[in-house]
Amino acid sequence: LFFLKLVVVCELIHILVLTQQTTKLWIYLGGKFRIYQIMIWNLRHCCQRDIVGSHVYADNKLIGTIIEPLSTYNFKVPETADPVFAKTITLHQPLANHLHLLEVQVWGNGPYSDDDNLQ
């Protein structure tokens, strides 16, 4: 078992301003990975409250929701009988706020083939 630290770089980030009321940050991981942890660094000099209310997804599975303005967020995925595998990480802000982030890190292992029977 090894861990791969995926640090988001500009080529992998797509920020979608869907309407005036919702914003999504979409990160393509480059393959299917087992997700263990997602770390998010909020801006420190301004706009910290704008992230409150954002949902963090691994593909379509909700990993967590940001409920207060902090400098960093650490979403650990429990190692259960139902592991989380994903090709994308999405931060969705359903409120009328823009996302202002410093960094996003995704910790996991892989990549795995789509044909792998993963449980």
Side-chain angles (χ1 to χ4, degrees), residues 67-81:
I67 59 172
E68 61 182 319
L70 300 173
S71 296
T72 59
Y73 303 90
N74 189 2
F75 294 95
K76 292 187 178 182
V77 179
E79 293 192 39
T80 63

Side-chain angles (χ1 to χ4, degrees), residues 2-20:
F2 69 94
F3 289 93
L4 174 65
K5 176 182 170 184
L6 300 170
V7 178
V8 178
V9 294
C10 292
E11 294 84 17
L12 300 178
I13 298 176
H14 302 281
I15 299 175
L16 304 173
V17 179
L18 300 176
T19 67
Q20 293 292 342

Side-chain angles (χ1 to χ4, degrees), residues 17-86:
V17 179
L18 300 176
T19 67
Q20 293 292 342
Q21 289 78 35
T22 184
T23 303
K24 285 187 181 182
L25 172 85
W26 177 76
I27 303 164
Y28 178 66
L29 300 176
K32 181 193 248 179
F33 289 85
R34 181 168 182 185
I35 307 300
Y36 291 99
Q37 183 175 347
I38 300 170
M39 296 183 68
I40 300 167
W41 279 262
N42 200 2
L43 284 184
R44 295 187 178 131
H45 64 280
C46 79
C47 314
Q48 281 197 327
R49 292 197 167 279
D50 288 352
I51 197 170
V52 174
S54 295
H55 306 292
V56 181
Y57 293 92
D59 283 348
N60 293 322
K61 182 169 180 61
L62 180 64
I63 302 299
T65 300
I66 296 174
I67 59 172
E68 61 182 319
L70 300 173
S71 296
T72 59
Y73 303 90
N74 189 2
F75 294 95
K76 292 187 178 182
V77 179
E79 293 192 39
T80 63
D82 187 24
V84 175
F85 291 89

